[in-house]
């Protein structure tokens, strides 16, 4: 423990601690090494550590949840002098963001105008700088997986939409917007992106993931991380690790026991984290609350230290997901009480505990463990140093405040950000079916339109617990009405609710339609008789998919299929628009409904974007980042997969016909209003095992409309010492082409792209033949070419 320097808080009032180019954080009247911006960060960290008490150090290892979650006061209060954070705090999460949530709404007067929030954060930061002995600034954290989780910040569509864009440049821009807005508002750390591969379509949080393929997730997550951190804000990756495949897809109280073999864990679940850590250098990682093979992640030295720091090279600080530490004793039962759970997490490598409880519930047990000699002060210094290092990297010890609070009003949700958000929504639209080119609709040919379905006027899907709130939302009905204007007639009918009264039990025990349900469907059918085309907006709402909302069936919930069948029986052309957060088993719909548009959970501009897409102003170019199974009985069914693991049962060692086979829509699938052709595939023919492989291919728009294509490169290792995946995604580029235009798309395959985990679990590029495949999807391969890797 360093020298205890006593200074009265009144000292800050008597003599300014603010000097030209530096701040006297410890209020001792001189520039210490840690206060000198010209000194190397490591020297500054060590100097600060040497001056801190055990009380101050332990305070740097816990989160204080913001106003209304845990913190009771909106602004600093005299009572704070009696709270544990009188000695500082690691971070304050979601402070004054005006969170909208069914579970814990946190309204505040300080969230808007944006400049008012920046001023409020400065006021709180000033208290910690001026009223604590060492003046260590706070890291203000906030969620941001589809736009910053703040009142009227720029909204992005759900992460599954973002994944569907396959547009790395656009994701980089989105990250920059998130980071820029965070910094302008006073946040210094954004909990994004989510790098969990969504491998079980039943899992409720599929909507919050980029998709199922580790390479695709790594590429998108890398760009989001780079974008956020380019704005001087930390990016914290979540949820590390093996979180997204709970047994049976069950979420909520289950959340444990992922059945994942070691090699699969490295190749699928750890791959995005390793890549993003090594290539984008995030300053934060969130440890998940599940276990793997009986070892809870947040209590695991192997996961938090050996893998994360020693192998992957992570050099930021690890924050726990909420209640992950407590779960060591309350759920996993590997600790006999809270104090032992604290010890295990601390020893494992956790830096900052987060939970919806006061920070002293972690800090006090940790202080007791230190006093009892059950954890070492050397480990304490190491854990605290990681946190301080990030605060130095963020510049908090050079300028702890938002420099220009008024600038926030011009930065947050400005015209540039709005345009980016709108573009991301447009690019996330995926066209699943379009028989006889029913789409795009022509108002002149189909001026009378029925908009029906339970999601036609619903707007709740555009706002989630982890993104911006309070933006006005344009429903699909309103978007179509606005688009059509006086050029046609739009009528509406709800048709049915999202679910019926006994759902989800009605998925296994069907109940008769009530009189009201029959009347609602009849109303839609009657109105359909007088129109030229039907737009049925169906799917899931916020109560059917999301955190703790896993499903046992993936059919359209409630009476929605019955509504679709009744509408289809009218003989009028039906366009089905899907608002949903996970793949749905829409088998009947796919067979009989002529046109299907997958919109996922778009942002507040959803109605405008869907209308633009239906009428051809926006040509859908998104691709599915996750496999659509035909039935939940096929699960696991995803990409990539081991050879023949998803094959039919017939063949040399099989017989009979007892199962539905194949995907409804495969990974990478998505149609367009135009067509594309590939030609002139060129691949380096021979390379050394540590050399790059250059690939190029020409893509031509062979149709009549401007459109986007996602050129997908898959790589097959033809012979290997261990079984590898059938083939892997190893490149993708989204390109815009005018009719008749050709562009050359270039890829570079790095040794890491060709590596496998050998029998000794070492990443190795083995000599032999590889096949490059270029396709429109993982099942629609158009060109192939071999190259050879030599020793």
């Amino acid at each position: 423990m360093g020298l205890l320097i006593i200074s009265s808080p009144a000292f800050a009032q008597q003599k300014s601690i603010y000097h030209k180019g530096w701040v006297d954080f410890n209020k001792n009247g001189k520039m210490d090494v840690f206060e000198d911006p010209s000194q190397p960060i490591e020297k500054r960290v060590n100097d600060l550590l040497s001056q801190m008490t055990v009380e101050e150090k332990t305070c740097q290892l816990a989160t204080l949840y913001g106003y209304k979650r845990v913190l009771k006061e909106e602004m600093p209060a005299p009572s704070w002098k009696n709270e544990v954070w009188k000695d500082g705090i690691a971070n304050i999460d979601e402070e004054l963001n005006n969170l909208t949530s069914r579970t814990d709404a946190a309204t505040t007067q300080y969230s808007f105008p944006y400049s008012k929030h920046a001023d409020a954060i400065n006021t709180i930061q000033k208290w910690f700088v001026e009223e604590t002995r060492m003046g260590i600034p706070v890291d203000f954290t906030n969620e941001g997986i589809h736009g910053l989780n703040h009142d009227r910040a720029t909204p992005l569509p759900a992460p599954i939409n973002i994944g569907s864009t396959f547009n790395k440049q656009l994701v980089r821009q989105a990250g920059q917007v998130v980071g820029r807005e965070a910094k302008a508002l006073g946040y210094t750390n954004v909990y994004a992106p989510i790098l969990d591969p969504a491998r079980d379509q039943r899992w409720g949080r599929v909507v919050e993931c980029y998709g199922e393929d580790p390479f695709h997730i790594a590429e998108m997550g890398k760009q989001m991380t780079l974008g956020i951190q380019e704005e001087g804000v930390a990016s914290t990756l979540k949820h590390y690790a093996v979180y997204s495949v709970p047994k049976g897809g069950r979420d909520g109280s289950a959340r444990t026991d992922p059945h994942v073999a070691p090699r699969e864990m490295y190749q699928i679940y750890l791959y995005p984290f390793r890549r993003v850590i090594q290539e984008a250098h995030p300053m934060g990682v969130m440890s998940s609350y599940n276990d793997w093979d009986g070892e809870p992640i947040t209590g695991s030295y192997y996961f938090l230290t050996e893998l994360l720091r020693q192998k992957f090279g992570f050099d930021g600080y690890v924050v726990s997901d909420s209640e992950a530490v407590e779960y060591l004793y309350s759920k996993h039962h590997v600790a006999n009480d809270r104090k032992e759970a604290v010890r295990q997490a601390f020893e494992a490598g956790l830096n900052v505990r987060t939970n919806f409880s006061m920070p002293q519930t972690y800090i006090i047990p940790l202080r007791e463990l230190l006093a009892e000699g059950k954890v070492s002060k050397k480990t304490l210094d190491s854990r605290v140093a990681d946190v301080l290092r990030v605060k130095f990297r963020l510049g908090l010890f050079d300028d702890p405040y938002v420099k220009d609070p008024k600038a926030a009003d011009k930065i947050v949700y400005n015209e540039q950000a709005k345009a980016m958000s709108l573009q991301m929504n447009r690019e996330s639209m995926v066209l699943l079916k379009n028989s006889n080119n029913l789409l795009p609709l022509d108002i002149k040919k189909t001026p009378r339109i029925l908009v029906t379905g339970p999601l036609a006027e619903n707007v709740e899907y555009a706002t989630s617990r982890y993104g911006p709130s309070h933006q006005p939302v344009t429903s699909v009905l309103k978007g179509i009405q606005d688009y059509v204007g006086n050029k046609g007639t739009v009528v509406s009918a709800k048709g049915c609710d999202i679910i019926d009264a006994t759902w989800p039990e009605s998925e296994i025990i069907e109940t008769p339609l009530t009189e009201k349900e029959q009347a609602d469907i009849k109303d839609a059918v009657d109105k359909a008789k007088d129109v030229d085309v039907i737009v049925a907006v169906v799917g899931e709402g916020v109560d059917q998919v999301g955190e703790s909302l896993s499903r046992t069936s993936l059919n359209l919930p409630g009476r929605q299929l019955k509504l679709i069948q009744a509408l289809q029986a009218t003989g009028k052309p039906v366009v089905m628009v899907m608002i949903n957060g996970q793949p749905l088993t829409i088998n009947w719909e796919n067979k009989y409904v002529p046109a299907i548009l997958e919109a996922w959970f778009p942002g507040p501009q959803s109605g405008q974007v869907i209308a633009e897409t239906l009428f051809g102003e926006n040509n859908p170019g998104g691709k599915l980042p996750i496999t659509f199974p035909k039935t939940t009985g096929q699960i696991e069914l995803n990409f990539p997969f081991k050879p023949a693991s998803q094959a039919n049962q017939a063949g040399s060692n099989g017989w009979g016909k007892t199962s539905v086979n194949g995907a409804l829509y495969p990974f990478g699938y998505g149609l367009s209003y135009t067509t594309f052709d590939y030609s002139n595939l060129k691949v380096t023919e021979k390379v050394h095992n540590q050399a790059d492989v250059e690939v190029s291919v020409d893509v031509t728009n062979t149709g009549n409309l401007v459109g986007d294509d996602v050129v997908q490169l898959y790589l097959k290792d033809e012979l290997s010492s261990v079984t590898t995946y059938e083939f892997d995604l190893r490149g993708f580029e989204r390109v815009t082409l005018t009719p008749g235009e050709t562009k050359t798309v270039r890829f570079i395959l790095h040794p890491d792209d060709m590596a496998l985990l050998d029998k000794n679990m070492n990443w190795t590029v083995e000599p032999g033949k590889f096949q490059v495949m270029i396709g429109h999807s993982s099942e629609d391969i158009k060109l192939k070419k071999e190259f050879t890797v030599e020793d």
Side-chain angles (χ1 to χ4, degrees):
M1 187 169 71
L3 179 67
L4 179 63
I5 303 171
I6 305 295
S7 86
S8 163
F11 178 85
Q13 314 306 322
Q14 296 162 7
K15 190 173 181 182
S16 176
I17 64 172
Y18 304 101
H19 304 276
K20 188 175 181 181
W22 68 284
V23 179
D24 187 11
F25 289 99
N26 64 2
K27 309 160 192 72
N28 66 356
K30 67 186 179 82
M31 186 195 291
D32 290 87
V33 171
F34 85 90
E35 295 164 343
D36 184 353
S38 69
Q39 294 292 329
I41 285 179
E42 216 52 38
K43 284 185 71 175
R44 298 177 76 181
V45 168
N46 291 333
D47 179 59
L48 176 53
L49 269 175
S50 72
Q51 298 187 44
M52 293 170 69
T53 65
V54 166
E55 288 73 24
E56 288 160 343
K57 288 175 182 178
T58 51
C59 279
Q60 292 300 312
L61 300 181
T63 293
L64 172 60
Y65 254 114
Y67 173 63
K68 278 198 177 175
R69 311 299 305 289
V70 168
L71 193 58
K72 303 303 180 192
E73 303 85 11
E74 288 179 280
M75 284 292 110
S79 61
W80 286 19
K81 285 291 185 180
N82 302 317
E83 297 286 1
V84 71
W85 57 85
K86 69 182 183 298
D87 293 313
I89 201 73
N91 55 36
I92 301 180
D93 193 29
E94 299 187 277
E95 175 66 336
L96 306 175
N97 64 354
N98 211 329
L99 171 71
T100 296
S101 172
R102 290 168 298 156
T103 54
D104 42 21
T107 54
T108 174
Q109 60 174 312
Y110 291 106
S111 63
F112 187 84
Y114 308 121
S115 53
K116 189 175 184 180
H117 184 268
D119 278 326
I121 291 293
N122 277 353
T123 300
I124 296 161
Q125 187 73 283
K126 190 175 183 182
W127 189 91
F128 282 92
V129 170
E130 295 184 1
E131 300 296 329
T132 64
R133 187 183 73 92
M134 292 303 295
I136 298 171
V138 173
D139 182 16
F140 287 95
T141 58
N142 198 5
E143 301 286 349
I145 59 171
H146 62 108
L148 188 70
N149 188 11
H150 186 91
D151 185 6
R152 283 165 270 192
T154 299
L156 301 177
I160 195 70
N161 290 72
I162 297 173
S164 298
T165 69
F166 280 74
N167 188 332
K168 290 173 281 189
Q169 293 77 21
L170 190 59
V171 173
R172 181 75 157 262
Q173 292 171 27
Q176 290 165 346
V177 167
V178 171
R180 195 177 306 135
E181 294 188 350
K183 194 167 181 68
L185 286 160
Y187 301 109
T188 47
N189 191 330
V190 178
Y191 291 162
I194 287 180
L195 298 183
D196 300 308
R199 303 287 286 179
D200 191 323
Q201 294 88 341
R202 297 167 296 184
W203 186 51
R205 300 192 85 171
V206 168
V207 66
E208 297 175 15
C209 300
Y210 290 144
E212 69 188 1
D213 180 81
F215 179 87
H216 168 255
I217 295 163
E219 291 287 301
M220 303 297 261
K222 173 184 172 181
Q223 298 305 322
M224 183 63 76
T225 301
L226 289 169
I228 290 170
Q229 297 204 157
E230 281 164 356
E231 300 299 326
V233 171
S235 166
T236 292
L237 315 179
K238 54 188 203 174
H239 308 86
Y240 176 83
V242 207
Y243 168 71
S244 55
V245 58
K247 183 182 178 184
R250 285 180 281 274
D251 200 358
S253 297
R255 286 183 182 146
T256 53
D257 202 19
H259 290 187
V260 178
R263 187 172 271 103
E264 182 181 11
M265 177 179 76
Y266 282 101
Q267 292 178 320
I268 301 289
Y269 297 93
L270 293 176
Y271 177 93
F273 288 94
R274 174 178 67 83
R275 285 269 322 275
V276 175
I277 287 166
Q278 292 174 348
E279 297 173 26
H281 309 290
M283 288 187 244
V285 162
M286 182 182 288
S287 69
S288 55
Y289 41 53
N290 58 284
D291 67 308
W292 175 75
D293 195 27
E295 187 169 8
I297 304 298
T298 297
S300 169
Y301 184 83
Y302 173 71
F303 277 99
L304 298 192
T305 300
E306 288 182 19
L307 268 183
L308 190 60
R309 295 193 182 277
Q310 296 169 8
K311 287 196 174 181
F312 296 170
F314 176 66
D315 61 0
Y317 78 77
V318 180
V319 60
S320 73
D321 202 348
S322 298
E323 217 169 329
V325 172
E326 289 72 14
Y327 280 169
L328 295 179
Y329 74 92
S330 67
K331 179 174 286 190
H332 301 300
H333 307 296
V334 297
N336 62 1
D337 58 18
R338 180 192 300 271
K339 190 169 168 181
E340 172 60 13
V342 170
R343 187 196 69 77
Q344 288 184 21
F346 177 80
E347 293 281 12
L350 181 71
N351 296 106
V352 175
R353 191 290 306 256
T354 299
N355 195 11
F356 305 115
S357 60
M358 293 292 263
Q360 56 262 39
T361 57
Y362 182 82
I363 291 168
I364 300 303
L366 182 55
R367 288 176 182 172
E368 292 173 359
L369 289 164
L370 284 157
E372 295 162 5
K374 292 180 180 176
V375 295
S376 75
K377 291 184 179 178
K378 181 180 178 183
T379 305
L380 175 66
D381 283 355
S382 176
R383 299 290 178 267
V384 176
D386 292 332
V387 177
L388 296 177
R389 199 174 292 115
V390 168
K391 292 187 176 185
F392 278 109
R393 287 171 66 184
L394 291 171
L396 288 172
F397 285 95
D398 303 326
D399 190 350
Y401 307 113
V402 180
K403 285 185 180 178
D404 183 5
K406 284 188 169 57
D409 293 328
K410 296 178 181 177
I411 292 171
V412 183
Y413 201 44
N414 61 20
E415 291 307 311
Q416 178 190 0
K418 287 178 186 176
M420 180 281 301
S421 173
L422 191 60
Q423 186 64 17
M424 181 160 276
N425 275 278
R426 287 171 177 151
E427 294 197 15
S428 71
M429 298 291 113
V430 185
L431 184 61
L432 299 180
K433 187 180 178 186
N434 194 21
S435 294
N436 301 316
N437 294 320
L438 174 58
L439 295 177
L441 298 174
D442 184 340
I443 295 178
K444 292 177 182 176
K445 294 179 181 177
T446 57
R448 299 174 302 164
I449 303 162
L450 169 64
V451 180
T452 184
L455 276 301
E457 292 188 72
N458 184 292
V459 294
E460 291 180 339
Y461 57 79
T463 305
S464 91
R465 161 73 183 78
Y466 295 101
S469 53
H470 307 123
Q471 293 288 13
V473 182
T474 305
S475 70
V476 178
L477 174 61
K478 183 71 165 58
I480 292 174
Q481 288 172 332
D482 290 346
Y483 193 93
V484 172
N486 59 11
K487 291 173 287 191
T489 304
V490 178
V491 294
S492 65
K494 188 173 183 181
C496 66
D497 293 326
I498 297 175
I499 58 171
D500 59 272
T502 64
W503 190 87
E505 187 184 66
S506 59
E507 293 186 332
I508 57 172
I509 304 173
E510 190 171 355
T511 53
L513 271 68
T514 64
E515 287 186 12
K516 184 181 184 305
E517 288 171 337
Q518 293 177 53
D520 286 347
I521 292 176
K522 183 177 183 300
D523 179 47
V525 168
D526 288 344
K527 287 178 178 174
K529 293 172 183 174
D530 297 321
V531 300
D532 304 301
V533 67
I534 301 164
V535 176
V537 191
V538 296
E540 301 169 308
V542 294
D543 294 317
Q544 288 77 49
V545 62
E547 189 170 11
S548 299
L549 294 170
S550 291
R551 292 188 57 189
T552 43
S553 165
L554 291 175
N555 293 337
L556 284 174
R559 312 301 192 183
Q560 294 183 67
L561 176 56
K562 285 185 165 50
L563 173 65
I564 293 291
Q565 289 171 332
L567 294 169
Q568 183 68 16
T570 66
K572 299 295 175 72
V574 177
V575 177
M576 192 167 94
V577 175
M578 291 171 62
I579 305 273
N580 53 298
Q582 62 206 118
L584 298 181
T585 48
I586 49 167
N587 297 285
W588 191 96
E589 300 90 324
N590 177 66
K591 186 169 184 177
Y592 295 109
V593 175
I596 304 174
L597 178 69
E598 174 61 89
W600 297 116
F601 270 16
Q605 316 97 321
S606 53
Q608 175 189 342
V609 170
I610 288 167
E612 289 174 347
T613 307
L614 294 177
F615 290 99
E617 192 173 313
N618 175 52
N619 187 349
K623 300 285 186 178
L624 293 181
I626 184 168
T627 302
F628 276 50
K630 291 175 180 173
T631 166
T632 53
Q634 293 174 293
I635 293 173
E636 298 176 4
L637 188 81
N638 40 38
F639 181 87
F641 53 87
K642 291 290 177 69
S645 64
Q646 294 178 184
N648 301 348
Q649 291 177 132
S652 57
N653 67 334
W655 55 88
K657 192 173 182 183
T658 58
S659 67
V660 172
N661 299 309
L664 183 60
Y665 310 111
F667 174 86
Y669 173 84
L671 305 176
S672 170
Y673 296 153
T674 188
T675 53
F676 301 95
D677 188 43
Y678 300 141
S679 61
N680 199 26
L681 175 60
K682 296 179 181 177
V683 181
T684 309
E685 292 185 359
K686 286 186 180 180
V687 294
H688 182 266
N689 67 357
Q690 290 304 308
D692 291 340
V693 175
E694 294 184 5
V695 179
S696 66
V697 64
D698 292 343
V699 54
T700 304
N701 183 341
T702 54
N704 300 317
L705 296 170
V706 175
D708 287 6
D709 186 38
V710 178
V711 184
Q712 300 165 44
L713 186 158
Y714 296 92
L715 186 65
K716 183 181 181 68
D717 189 347
E718 296 189 5
L719 182 68
S720 51
S721 60
V722 294
T723 304
T724 57
Y725 293 98
E726 181 70 18
F727 49 88
D728 290 288
L729 181 71
R730 284 297 179 259
F732 58 89
E733 292 293 336
R734 183 166 180 146
V735 291
T736 303
L737 295 166
T738 57
E741 183 182 6
T742 298
K743 284 184 181 176
T744 300
V745 177
R746 302 181 192 280
F747 300 96
I748 295 179
L749 293 171
H750 303 294
D752 187 71
D753 295 321
M754 297 171 266
L756 55 74
L757 275 172
D758 65 16
K759 291 179 180 179
N760 298 315
M761 295 297 282
N762 294 315
W763 288 101
T764 309
V765 179
E766 296 183 340
K769 289 183 178 180
F770 289 78
Q771 191 175 83
V772 168
M773 304 183 289
I774 303 293
H776 290 301
S777 78
S778 58
E779 289 186 5
D780 188 10
I781 304 299
K782 298 299 185 185
L783 299 174
K784 297 179 181 180
K785 206 158 200 175
E786 277 187 348
F787 67 90
T788 303
V789 172
E790 300 176 333
D791 270 333

